[in-house]
Amino acid sequence: FRTLLAAAPEAIIAVDVTGRIKHYNQAAERLFGHAASDMLGDTLDRLMPAGMRGAHAMHLAQFVQNGEQHARRMRGGRLVTGLHRDGRALQLDVGISRSIIDGAELFTAMIRDVTERVA
C-alpha cells in the first residue's frame, strides 16, 4: 500500500475521522507545494481557500456520520478549488473513498489537477 501510494501519479491524501492527514504522497507534494513532513498530522486547511474550510469540516463530519462505504466523487463530480503553497488557486477533480487500515477509519482522496483543462 505504501509503495503504491508513494508512486501514484495522482495526488493521494488520506485523513482520519478528525480530519488529520495520515498519508500524503509525492504527487500531493508536487501539486500543493508542501512537503509530506509538514502536512502529516495537520488538517487540510492549508490546501484550500479560507472560505471553504468550514464547509469542508462540515462535509467530512457528514461523511463520517452517514457511514458511506463506497467511493464517490466529491460534490457530485463538480470541481473543487485547492490552494498551492504559493497562493495559486487550483481547480481539482476529487474522488473520495472510505476504508479501514490497521483498525483506523480513513478517508482517502484521489486528486487530479484540471486547472489547465478548465482554463
Side-chain angles (χ1 to χ4, degrees):
F1 174 74
R2 291 184 197 281
T3 301
L4 178 63
L5 181 72
E10 291 186 353
I12 300 174
I13 301 172
V15 300
D16 64 15
V17 296
T18 69
R20 298 283 173 193
I21 297 171
K22 299 299 180 183
H23 299 285
Y24 188 91
N25 74 348
Q26 293 172 359
E29 289 182 322
R30 289 188 299 275
L31 176 60
F32 292 105
H34 296 281
S37 59
D38 293 335
M39 295 303 298
L40 293 174
D42 203 350
T43 65
L44 295 173
D45 287 354
R46 285 196 276 171
L47 306 180
M48 61 184 64
M52 295 179 58
R53 294 173 186 162
H56 179 266
M58 181 185 69
H59 291 305
L60 178 61
Q62 288 174 343
F63 199 67
V64 170
Q65 183 178 5
N66 290 343
E68 294 182 50
Q69 296 298 319
H70 59 281
R72 68 172 175 87
R73 288 273 171 221
M74 288 182 61
R75 294 175 45 176
R78 291 179 286 165
L79 300 180
V80 296
T81 302
L83 189 64
H84 189 276
R85 182 179 179 179
D86 67 10
R88 284 182 290 131
L90 304 168
Q91 294 299 303
L92 307 171
D93 181 32
V94 180
I96 189 166
S97 65
R98 182 184 205 141
S99 59
I100 296 177
I101 298 175
D102 295 331
E105 194 168 28
L106 292 177
F107 301 93
T108 303
M110 301 271 308
I111 306 164
R112 178 178 297 142
D113 183 4
V114 294
T115 304
E116 288 183 23
R117 185 182 78 196
V118 170

